[in-house]
Amino acid sequence: MEDLGPVTRNDAPVMGIDIGGSGVRGAIVTPDGEVGELTRVALQNREVETVLDAIREVVGDRRPRAIGIGMPGFVRAATVIASPNFPSWHEVDLQALVQTRCDTPAIVMNDANAATFGAYERLGDGRDLLLLTLGTGVGGGVVSQRRLITGRRGTAAEVGHIFAGGDALCGCGGRGCLETWCSTRGLARQAAECGHPVPDGQSVVEAADRGEAWAKQVLHATGEALGRGLASLTNVFAPEHIVLAGGLAQAERWLHEPAHTYWRAHAIGANVEGVTWRWWGRADDLAIRGSASAARAIG
């Protein structure tokens, strides 16, 4: 476990970078956690060299003292072991590659852990925190007694890959993962299965907003799956705060009621009492500010 300690500030000029499936985003982060002007570079593909070129372009002519990078996938000691959404990445020493390409010290962490670190800072006193990022996939992280849980191998708290029901195949190779329900891809899968193929998860939310019954049913099932996952995670980690962020978290109006109802009915009562739920929508800055804070320690 990584000891986060109290939220601290210093004047180190550092940069946070968030790698996503469609692009790489980065910004200088001020000592008080404010994210500066954002630079985004689209990815034409997800190959290692393409991502490295995008990182270099995001850094541009800025000269940060250190760079923090949030990378989707299983990250151990700054090496990307594998990534379900970046299938060609295996045992990639991203830290060394970035340091060479940008001539700047760098640190690499799982993007959801970076976002968890960012949420910890944003809360100010989130010493017991469970974060789920609901986007293309489902990521997240856990802070317990101010310690970010990473496990012996650095790959713990893969909350999107706990079992939530069904047998839909997940990108991790498992079946019935929370990610197969509560991601934008999971929404599209459910829509197709009920005879309404859509290009993306946002289309399901828009259909529900128009009053289409099938879309409301899909979102209700998604909310219940989220509640199942959160009940299990609450029973294991007993968080003080549950934070839900990412593109799909903008659908709070459809997801909160079924998720909260199931969670409250099935999580242990002693663990439910006093827990706050926070829906932060996209909260795009979380991984950037979290990775920048990690970089500040090495700069």
Side-chain angles (χ1 to χ4, degrees), residues 37-56:
E37 182 180 356
L38 191 70
T39 300
R40 185 182 186 280
V41 175
L43 289 175
Q44 300 306 312
N45 59 63
R46 299 179 183 180
E47 299 302 313
V48 175
E49 282 300 316
T50 302
V51 173
L52 286 171
D53 288 343
I55 291 172
R56 184 68 190 90

Side-chain angles (χ1 to χ4, degrees), residues 250-264:
Q250 294 180 106
E252 172 188 359
R253 59 194 177 280
W254 294 110
L255 299 177
H256 179 79
E257 191 278 330
H260 193 273
T261 297
Y262 192 99
W263 168 80
R264 191 164 190 89

Side-chain angles (χ1 to χ4, degrees), residues 181-225:
W181 292 92
C182 299
S183 62
T184 55
R185 289 182 305 185
L187 278 188
R189 173 190 66 80
Q190 294 176 75
E193 288 179 352
C194 66
H196 295 273
V198 294
D200 52 43
Q202 181 59 33
S203 300
V204 179
V205 179
E206 292 170 355
D209 289 340
R210 293 194 300 268
E212 297 188 33
W214 69 267
K216 292 181 182 180
Q217 291 171 0
V218 166
L219 285 165
H220 190 274
T222 300
E224 284 201 334

Side-chain angles (χ1 to χ4, degrees), residues 162-184:
I162 66 170
F163 182 71
D167 62 358
L169 181 64
C170 182
C172 73
R175 291 184 179 273
C177 295
L178 187 62
E179 183 169 302
T180 67
W181 292 92
C182 299
S183 62
T184 55

Side-chain angles (χ1 to χ4, degrees), residues 9 97 204:
R9 310 292 183 205
L97 292 171
V204 179

Side-chain angles (χ1 to χ4, degrees), residues 73-77 81 110 113 149-158:
F74 309 115
V75 179
R76 181 191 306 154
I81 302 166
N110 170 268
N113 280 341
I149 295 178
T150 56
R152 179 173 65 88
R153 297 180 178 272
T155 55
E158 282 289 343

